[in-house]
Amino acid sequence: MPSGGELGGARRLWPAGAPSEFSAPALGGAGPATAAIEQAALSLGLRPRWRLWAGSVSLAECDLLDEAGAPASGARGLGKGRDQAEARLYALGEALERFLTGPTSLDSAAVRFIAAEELADGVLAQEASAPLLRQLTGSAIACCAYQALHTGQDDATIPLYLGAPWYAGQDGHVYRDRVGDRADYQGLSRYSVQSGYGLAPTQDEATVHALLETVERDACSLLTLRTFISGRQPTVIDPHTLPEDLALLHTQAQRELDATVHLINATTDLGIPTVLAYCTPGDGTPYRRGQAAALATRDAVTGAITEPLEFQLPRAAPPPIALTPLKPYPALHRCARFDLTDALQQTHTTAFLDRPSPEAPRAQLDELLARLAAAGFTAYRRHVAVLPGEVSAVHTVVPGLERFFAVVKGALILPSPRGRTCCDARR
C-alpha cells in the first residue's frame, strides 16, 4: 500500500504549491476535523448552511452554498452523532463528498477508453453488467485508472459508469459528449450506482469509509437475495443481549420512530459486521431501514439504529419509488418492495457479540484489506480530489462484490455470480 503521503496522481483542486494555513487534524476531534473540511469547502468557494435537531442522537443537515448564495449542485448532506459537533462533521463531509463526486469529478484528461469486451473478460468478469459489456463488442468504454490497494500500483482501469449515474444515465449525454464517449449506456446505466465513495481529512480514513460502504451494500444485497429469492429466514440480534448503552439507544429509537426496530445480522463471508435496522411498513407508512458495516459490531449496530432517525427530518424522507416496471418480474418486484413483515415472523436469533476494531485509520484499512483478501477480493481506489490540508475524496471498487441493492431503487437488474451463488447455497 502507498504511504499516507502518496496521492498517486490525484486531482488537486487548488494551485500546485499553494500554501495551506492548517494541517490535517488528528482523527479524534470532531471540531478540528469539521474545521478542516469546512476550510477545504471554502477553498472551492463553498460555505455551509446548517439546520440542527436534538433527540436521542443529534442530527444535522448541511447545504453548501456557492459565492452567489445558491445551493451547489448535489451538495447536501445529513449527519448524526453523539453531539451536535459530530453530527455537523458528518453532514458537512457528506455534502462536500456529494459535490466532489458528482459531475465536478469529471476530468477529461484522466479518462481513457477501453474495449468493452476487454473489460468484460478482465477485471469486471464477475460483475453483473459483464454480459452487457460483451454485447457491446467494438465499443470503447470511458474508464479511469485505479490503484490496487495491496500493491499501490495502477493495476486496473474501471469504467466510469459503475460509480457515476449522472454520467451513464439518460441526462448524462452532456458529460459523455465532453469526453467524446460514443458508447451505448442504455443497459449499463441500470448497474450504475453512487456507491463506494468516501471523504475525510486523511486518505486512509476516506478509504475506510468508502470500503465499508461497499461492504455494507454487498451484505444487504445478499440479504435481499437470500430472503426474497431463496426464502431463507433472516438472523436477528436479540435486543435483550445488547450492552446497556446500545439497549438504551435502541429503546429511544423505537420510541421516536413509534415502531419496533428489528436488528438483522447481515454479516457475510467477509467477516465484517453488518447490521440492518428495520421497521416494518404499517397502514400508509412505508418501511424504514438503516444499515451499517464496521469492523466493530458495536459501531455497526449504532450506525444502523440511528440511520432511520434521519428520515424523521423535514426534506430527508426519500420520495416514493415507482416499482411498476418491475411488476412483470415477480421475484425482482419482491426484492424491490423489501417488505420483511412475513420473514420476521419466524427468524433465527443470535446474541450480540462485540468485535473490537483498531483505532487508527491505517490499522483499520489494513484489517479491511486483509479480510477482503482472505475471501479472494481485491480493492481498488481512485483519488477523486485532494483539497487543502490533504482532505481527500476517494472512490473504491471491489470487483465481484454484489451490487444488487440497486433493485430497491426500481432498477431492472440481475445479481452477479456472487449473488447467484448465494441464492443457490443452502446456508
Short mmCIF file of all heavy atoms in Angstrom, two decimals, residues 110-160:
data_model
loop_
_atom_site.label_atom_id
_atom_site.label_comp_id
_atom_site.label_asym_id
_atom_site.label_seq_id
_atom_site.Cartn_x
_atom_site.Cartn_y
_atom_site.Cartn_z
N ALA A 110 -8.11 12.64 -17.49
CA ALA A 110 -7.87 11.37 -16.82
C ALA A 110 -8.65 10.21 -17.44
O ALA A 110 -8.46 9.06 -17.05
CB ALA A 110 -8.24 11.49 -15.34
N VAL A 111 -9.54 10.50 -18.39
CA VAL A 111 -10.38 9.46 -18.99
C VAL A 111 -9.60 8.72 -20.06
O VAL A 111 -8.91 9.33 -20.89
CB VAL A 111 -11.66 10.08 -19.59
CG1 VAL A 111 -12.46 9.02 -20.35
CG2 VAL A 111 -12.51 10.69 -18.49
N ARG A 112 -9.69 7.39 -20.01
CA ARG A 112 -9.10 6.56 -21.05
C ARG A 112 -10.18 5.59 -21.54
O ARG A 112 -11.08 5.23 -20.78
CB ARG A 112 -7.88 5.80 -20.53
CG ARG A 112 -8.18 4.90 -19.34
CD ARG A 112 -6.93 4.22 -18.79
NE ARG A 112 -6.01 5.17 -18.19
CZ ARG A 112 -4.88 4.82 -17.58
NH1 ARG A 112 -4.55 3.53 -17.49
NH2 ARG A 112 -4.09 5.73 -17.04
N PHE A 113 -10.09 5.18 -22.78
CA PHE A 113 -11.11 4.32 -23.36
C PHE A 113 -10.58 2.89 -23.53
O PHE A 113 -9.49 2.68 -24.07
CB PHE A 113 -11.59 4.88 -24.71
CG PHE A 113 -12.43 6.11 -24.56
CD1 PHE A 113 -11.84 7.38 -24.56
CD2 PHE A 113 -13.79 6.01 -24.38
CE1 PHE A 113 -12.61 8.52 -24.41
CE2 PHE A 113 -14.58 7.14 -24.21
CZ PHE A 113 -13.99 8.40 -24.23
N ILE A 114 -11.38 1.94 -23.05
CA ILE A 114 -11.02 0.52 -23.10
C ILE A 114 -12.13 -0.24 -23.82
O ILE A 114 -13.32 0.05 -23.62
CB ILE A 114 -10.83 -0.06 -21.68
CG1 ILE A 114 -9.80 0.77 -20.90
CG2 ILE A 114 -10.43 -1.53 -21.73
CD1 ILE A 114 -8.41 0.72 -21.45
N ALA A 115 -11.77 -1.21 -24.63
CA ALA A 115 -12.76 -2.00 -25.36
C ALA A 115 -13.69 -2.71 -24.38
O ALA A 115 -13.25 -3.26 -23.37
CB ALA A 115 -12.06 -3.03 -26.25
N ALA A 116 -14.98 -2.69 -24.68
CA ALA A 116 -15.98 -3.27 -23.79
C ALA A 116 -15.69 -4.74 -23.51
O ALA A 116 -15.80 -5.20 -22.36
CB ALA A 116 -17.37 -3.11 -24.40
N GLU A 117 -15.32 -5.50 -24.54
CA GLU A 117 -15.07 -6.93 -24.33
C GLU A 117 -13.84 -7.17 -23.47
O GLU A 117 -13.76 -8.17 -22.73
CB GLU A 117 -14.95 -7.65 -25.68
CG GLU A 117 -13.85 -7.14 -26.60
CD GLU A 117 -14.34 -6.04 -27.53
OE1 GLU A 117 -15.28 -5.30 -27.16
OE2 GLU A 117 -13.77 -5.93 -28.64
N GLU A 118 -12.86 -6.28 -23.54
CA GLU A 118 -11.67 -6.42 -22.69
C GLU A 118 -12.04 -6.25 -21.22
O GLU A 118 -11.55 -6.97 -20.35
CB GLU A 118 -10.62 -5.40 -23.10
CG GLU A 118 -9.33 -5.47 -22.29
CD GLU A 118 -8.29 -4.46 -22.73
OE1 GLU A 118 -8.38 -4.00 -23.89
OE2 GLU A 118 -7.41 -4.13 -21.91
N LEU A 119 -12.91 -5.29 -20.93
CA LEU A 119 -13.37 -5.09 -19.56
C LEU A 119 -14.17 -6.29 -19.07
O LEU A 119 -14.02 -6.75 -17.94
CB LEU A 119 -14.23 -3.83 -19.48
CG LEU A 119 -13.53 -2.50 -19.71
CD1 LEU A 119 -14.56 -1.38 -19.87
CD2 LEU A 119 -12.59 -2.18 -18.55
N ALA A 120 -15.04 -6.81 -19.95
CA ALA A 120 -15.92 -7.92 -19.56
C ALA A 120 -15.14 -9.19 -19.25
O ALA A 120 -15.56 -9.98 -18.40
CB ALA A 120 -16.93 -8.20 -20.67
N ASP A 121 -14.03 -9.38 -19.92
CA ASP A 121 -13.24 -10.60 -19.71
C ASP A 121 -12.07 -10.36 -18.77
O ASP A 121 -11.27 -11.27 -18.54
CB ASP A 121 -12.73 -11.12 -21.06
CG ASP A 121 -13.87 -11.57 -21.96
OD1 ASP A 121 -14.89 -12.06 -21.42
OD2 ASP A 121 -13.76 -11.41 -23.19
N GLY A 122 -11.96 -9.13 -18.24
CA GLY A 122 -10.87 -8.81 -17.34
C GLY A 122 -11.34 -8.56 -15.93
O GLY A 122 -12.00 -9.40 -15.31
N VAL A 123 -11.08 -7.35 -15.44
CA VAL A 123 -11.35 -7.05 -14.04
C VAL A 123 -12.84 -7.09 -13.70
O VAL A 123 -13.21 -7.32 -12.54
CB VAL A 123 -10.75 -5.67 -13.67
CG1 VAL A 123 -11.51 -4.54 -14.36
CG2 VAL A 123 -10.70 -5.45 -12.17
N LEU A 124 -13.73 -6.92 -14.68
CA LEU A 124 -15.17 -6.91 -14.41
C LEU A 124 -15.85 -8.24 -14.72
O LEU A 124 -17.07 -8.30 -14.79
CB LEU A 124 -15.85 -5.80 -15.21
CG LEU A 124 -15.39 -4.37 -14.95
CD1 LEU A 124 -16.31 -3.38 -15.66
CD2 LEU A 124 -15.34 -4.05 -13.47
N ALA A 125 -15.07 -9.29 -14.89
CA ALA A 125 -15.64 -10.58 -15.30
C ALA A 125 -16.71 -11.08 -14.32
O ALA A 125 -17.64 -11.79 -14.74
CB ALA A 125 -14.53 -11.61 -15.45
N GLN A 126 -16.59 -10.75 -13.03
CA GLN A 126 -17.55 -11.23 -12.04
C GLN A 126 -18.63 -10.20 -11.71
O GLN A 126 -19.37 -10.36 -10.74
CB GLN A 126 -16.81 -11.63 -10.75
CG GLN A 126 -15.85 -12.79 -10.93
CD GLN A 126 -16.57 -14.03 -11.43
OE1 GLN A 126 -17.56 -14.48 -10.84
NE2 GLN A 126 -16.08 -14.62 -12.51
N GLU A 127 -18.73 -9.16 -12.53
CA GLU A 127 -19.77 -8.15 -12.32
C GLU A 127 -21.03 -8.52 -13.08
O GLU A 127 -20.98 -9.15 -14.15
CB GLU A 127 -19.28 -6.78 -12.79
CG GLU A 127 -18.24 -6.15 -11.89
CD GLU A 127 -18.83 -5.68 -10.56
OE1 GLU A 127 -19.93 -5.12 -10.56
OE2 GLU A 127 -18.17 -5.88 -9.53
N ALA A 128 -22.18 -8.11 -12.57
CA ALA A 128 -23.46 -8.43 -13.20
C ALA A 128 -23.59 -7.79 -14.57
O ALA A 128 -24.33 -8.29 -15.43
CB ALA A 128 -24.61 -7.99 -12.30
N SER A 129 -22.89 -6.68 -14.79
CA SER A 129 -23.01 -5.99 -16.07
C SER A 129 -22.06 -6.55 -17.14
O SER A 129 -22.10 -6.08 -18.28
CB SER A 129 -22.74 -4.49 -15.90
OG SER A 129 -21.47 -4.27 -15.32
N ALA A 130 -21.24 -7.54 -16.81
CA ALA A 130 -20.29 -8.09 -17.79
C ALA A 130 -20.98 -8.63 -19.04
O ALA A 130 -20.50 -8.38 -20.16
CB ALA A 130 -19.43 -9.18 -17.14
N PRO A 131 -22.11 -9.36 -18.94
CA PRO A 131 -22.77 -9.83 -20.17
C PRO A 131 -23.19 -8.69 -21.10
O PRO A 131 -23.15 -8.84 -22.32
CB PRO A 131 -23.98 -10.61 -19.64
CG PRO A 131 -23.58 -11.06 -18.28
CD PRO A 131 -22.75 -9.93 -17.74
N LEU A 132 -23.61 -7.56 -20.52
CA LEU A 132 -23.98 -6.41 -21.34
C LEU A 132 -22.76 -5.83 -22.04
O LEU A 132 -22.84 -5.39 -23.19
CB LEU A 132 -24.66 -5.35 -20.48
CG LEU A 132 -26.02 -5.72 -19.90
CD1 LEU A 132 -26.54 -4.60 -19.00
CD2 LEU A 132 -27.03 -6.01 -20.99
N LEU A 133 -21.64 -5.81 -21.36
CA LEU A 133 -20.41 -5.33 -21.99
C LEU A 133 -20.03 -6.20 -23.19
O LEU A 133 -19.59 -5.69 -24.22
CB LEU A 133 -19.27 -5.31 -20.97
CG LEU A 133 -19.29 -4.20 -19.93
CD1 LEU A 133 -18.26 -4.45 -18.84
CD2 LEU A 133 -19.05 -2.84 -20.58
N ARG A 134 -20.23 -7.51 -23.04
CA ARG A 134 -19.87 -8.41 -24.15
C ARG A 134 -20.75 -8.18 -25.37
O ARG A 134 -20.36 -8.47 -26.49
CB ARG A 134 -19.96 -9.86 -23.68
CG ARG A 134 -18.93 -10.24 -22.62
CD ARG A 134 -18.87 -11.72 -22.34
NE ARG A 134 -17.92 -12.00 -21.28
CZ ARG A 134 -18.25 -12.16 -20.00
NH1 ARG A 134 -19.52 -12.07 -19.63
NH2 ARG A 134 -17.32 -12.40 -19.10
N GLN A 135 -21.95 -7.66 -25.14
CA GLN A 135 -22.84 -7.35 -26.26
C GLN A 135 -22.43 -6.07 -26.99
O GLN A 135 -22.96 -5.76 -28.06
CB GLN A 135 -24.28 -7.21 -25.76
CG GLN A 135 -24.87 -8.51 -25.23
CD GLN A 135 -26.25 -8.31 -24.62
OE1 GLN A 135 -26.88 -7.26 -24.82
NE2 GLN A 135 -26.73 -9.30 -23.88
N LEU A 136 -21.51 -5.31 -26.39
CA LEU A 136 -21.08 -4.04 -26.98
C LEU A 136 -19.73 -4.18 -27.68
O LEU A 136 -18.92 -3.24 -27.70
CB LEU A 136 -20.99 -2.96 -25.88
CG LEU A 136 -22.32 -2.59 -25.22
CD1 LEU A 136 -22.09 -1.58 -24.09
CD2 LEU A 136 -23.29 -2.01 -26.24
N THR A 137 -19.49 -5.35 -28.26
CA THR A 137 -18.23 -5.59 -28.97
C THR A 137 -17.98 -4.48 -29.99
O THR A 137 -18.86 -4.11 -30.76
CB THR A 137 -18.28 -6.94 -29.69
OG1 THR A 137 -18.49 -7.97 -28.71
CG2 THR A 137 -16.98 -7.20 -30.44
N GLY A 138 -16.77 -3.94 -29.93
CA GLY A 138 -16.41 -2.85 -30.83
C GLY A 138 -16.59 -1.49 -30.22
O GLY A 138 -16.13 -0.49 -30.79
N SER A 139 -17.25 -1.41 -29.06
CA SER A 139 -17.43 -0.12 -28.37
C SER A 139 -16.29 0.13 -27.41
O SER A 139 -15.74 -0.81 -26.81
CB SER A 139 -18.76 -0.11 -27.60
OG SER A 139 -19.86 -0.17 -28.48
N ALA A 140 -15.94 1.38 -27.23
CA ALA A 140 -14.93 1.79 -26.26
C ALA A 140 -15.64 2.45 -25.08
O ALA A 140 -16.50 3.32 -25.27
CB ALA A 140 -13.93 2.74 -26.89
N ILE A 141 -15.30 2.03 -23.87
CA ILE A 141 -15.95 2.49 -22.66
C ILE A 141 -15.03 3.42 -21.90
O ILE A 141 -13.84 3.13 -21.70
CB ILE A 141 -16.33 1.28 -21.76
CG1 ILE A 141 -17.19 0.28 -22.53
CG2 ILE A 141 -17.05 1.76 -20.50
CD1 ILE A 141 -18.53 0.82 -22.99
N ALA A 142 -15.57 4.55 -21.45
CA ALA A 142 -14.78 5.53 -20.69
C ALA A 142 -14.41 4.96 -19.33
O ALA A 142 -15.27 4.48 -18.59
CB ALA A 142 -15.57 6.82 -20.54
N CYS A 143 -13.12 5.03 -19.00
CA CYS A 143 -12.60 4.46 -17.75
C CYS A 143 -11.62 5.43 -17.09
O CYS A 143 -11.18 6.41 -17.70
CB CYS A 143 -11.86 3.16 -18.02
SG CYS A 143 -12.84 1.85 -18.80
N CYS A 144 -11.28 5.13 -15.85
CA CYS A 144 -10.22 5.83 -15.13
C CYS A 144 -9.29 4.79 -14.51
O CYS A 144 -9.68 3.63 -14.28
CB CYS A 144 -10.78 6.73 -14.04
SG CYS A 144 -11.59 8.22 -14.66
N ALA A 145 -8.07 5.21 -14.23
CA ALA A 145 -7.08 4.31 -13.61
C ALA A 145 -7.33 4.22 -12.11
O ALA A 145 -7.56 5.24 -11.44
CB ALA A 145 -5.68 4.83 -13.88
N TYR A 146 -7.27 3.02 -11.59
CA TYR A 146 -7.41 2.74 -10.16
C TYR A 146 -6.18 1.99 -9.67
O TYR A 146 -5.58 1.22 -10.42
CB TYR A 146 -8.65 1.89 -9.88
CG TYR A 146 -9.96 2.65 -9.92
CD1 TYR A 146 -10.43 3.22 -11.10
CD2 TYR A 146 -10.72 2.80 -8.77
CE1 TYR A 146 -11.62 3.92 -11.14
CE2 TYR A 146 -11.93 3.49 -8.79
CZ TYR A 146 -12.38 4.05 -9.98
OH TYR A 146 -13.56 4.74 -10.02
N GLN A 147 -5.84 2.22 -8.41
CA GLN A 147 -4.74 1.50 -7.79
C GLN A 147 -5.26 0.30 -7.02
O GLN A 147 -6.23 0.41 -6.27
CB GLN A 147 -3.98 2.41 -6.81
CG GLN A 147 -3.24 3.55 -7.47
CD GLN A 147 -2.55 4.42 -6.44
OE1 GLN A 147 -3.08 4.68 -5.37
NE2 GLN A 147 -1.34 4.86 -6.76
N ALA A 148 -4.58 -0.82 -7.18
CA ALA A 148 -4.85 -1.97 -6.32
C ALA A 148 -4.23 -1.66 -4.96
O ALA A 148 -3.03 -1.41 -4.86
CB ALA A 148 -4.24 -3.23 -6.91
N LEU A 149 -5.04 -1.66 -3.92
CA LEU A 149 -4.58 -1.16 -2.63
C LEU A 149 -3.49 -2.02 -2.01
O LEU A 149 -2.71 -1.53 -1.20
CB LEU A 149 -5.77 -1.02 -1.68
CG LEU A 149 -6.60 0.24 -1.91
CD1 LEU A 149 -7.89 0.20 -1.13
CD2 LEU A 149 -5.81 1.48 -1.54
N HIS A 150 -3.44 -3.29 -2.37
CA HIS A 150 -2.40 -4.12 -1.75
C HIS A 150 -1.04 -3.92 -2.42
O HIS A 150 -0.02 -4.33 -1.89
CB HIS A 150 -2.79 -5.59 -1.82
CG HIS A 150 -2.87 -6.15 -3.21
ND1 HIS A 150 -3.87 -5.83 -4.08
CD2 HIS A 150 -2.05 -7.00 -3.88
CE1 HIS A 150 -3.69 -6.45 -5.23
NE2 HIS A 150 -2.59 -7.16 -5.14
N THR A 151 -1.02 -3.28 -3.61
CA THR A 151 0.25 -3.05 -4.30
C THR A 151 0.54 -1.57 -4.48
O THR A 151 1.69 -1.17 -4.62
CB THR A 151 0.26 -3.70 -5.70
OG1 THR A 151 -0.74 -3.07 -6.51
CG2 THR A 151 -0.01 -5.18 -5.60
N GLY A 152 -0.53 -0.74 -4.50
CA GLY A 152 -0.34 0.68 -4.69
C GLY A 152 0.00 1.07 -6.11
O GLY A 152 0.46 2.17 -6.37
N GLN A 153 -0.22 0.21 -7.07
CA GLN A 153 0.10 0.49 -8.47
C GLN A 153 -1.19 0.68 -9.27
O GLN A 153 -2.25 0.26 -8.85
CB GLN A 153 0.88 -0.68 -9.05
CG GLN A 153 1.99 -1.12 -8.13
CD GLN A 153 3.31 -1.29 -8.85
OE1 GLN A 153 3.33 -1.45 -10.04
NE2 GLN A 153 4.37 -1.24 -8.12
N ASP A 154 -1.05 1.31 -10.45
CA ASP A 154 -2.21 1.48 -11.33
C ASP A 154 -2.52 0.13 -11.96
O ASP A 154 -2.11 -0.15 -13.08
CB ASP A 154 -1.93 2.53 -12.40
CG ASP A 154 -1.98 3.94 -11.85
OD1 ASP A 154 -2.57 4.12 -10.77
OD2 ASP A 154 -1.44 4.82 -12.49
N ASP A 155 -3.27 -0.68 -11.26
CA ASP A 155 -3.45 -2.06 -11.66
C ASP A 155 -4.73 -2.33 -12.41
O ASP A 155 -4.95 -3.45 -12.82
CB ASP A 155 -3.40 -2.96 -10.43
CG ASP A 155 -1.97 -3.23 -9.97
OD1 ASP A 155 -1.03 -2.97 -10.73
OD2 ASP A 155 -1.83 -3.69 -8.84
N ALA A 156 -5.60 -1.37 -12.54
CA ALA A 156 -6.88 -1.63 -13.20
C ALA A 156 -7.44 -0.36 -13.80
O ALA A 156 -7.19 0.74 -13.32
CB ALA A 156 -7.89 -2.23 -12.21
N THR A 157 -8.20 -0.53 -14.86
CA THR A 157 -8.99 0.56 -15.40
C THR A 157 -10.45 0.20 -15.18
O THR A 157 -10.91 -0.87 -15.59
CB THR A 157 -8.72 0.77 -16.90
OG1 THR A 157 -8.75 -0.49 -17.58
CG2 THR A 157 -7.37 1.41 -17.12
N ILE A 158 -11.16 1.06 -14.48
CA ILE A 158 -12.54 0.81 -14.07
C ILE A 158 -13.45 1.77 -14.82
O ILE A 158 -13.18 2.98 -14.87
CB ILE A 158 -12.70 1.02 -12.55
CG1 ILE A 158 -11.72 0.16 -11.76
CG2 ILE A 158 -14.14 0.74 -12.12
CD1 ILE A 158 -11.96 -1.33 -11.85
N PRO A 159 -14.54 1.29 -15.41
CA PRO A 159 -15.45 2.17 -16.15
C PRO A 159 -16.10 3.23 -15.27
O PRO A 159 -16.46 2.97 -14.12
CB PRO A 159 -16.51 1.21 -16.71
CG PRO A 159 -15.89 -0.13 -16.66
CD PRO A 159 -14.95 -0.11 -15.48
N LEU A 160 -16.27 4.40 -15.83
CA LEU A 160 -16.95 5.48 -15.11
C LEU A 160 -18.37 5.10 -14.74
O LEU A 160 -18.89 5.49 -13.69
CB LEU A 160 -16.97 6.74 -15.97
CG LEU A 160 -15.71 7.62 -15.98
CD1 LEU A 160 -15.82 8.69 -17.05
CD2 LEU A 160 -15.50 8.25 -14.62
#
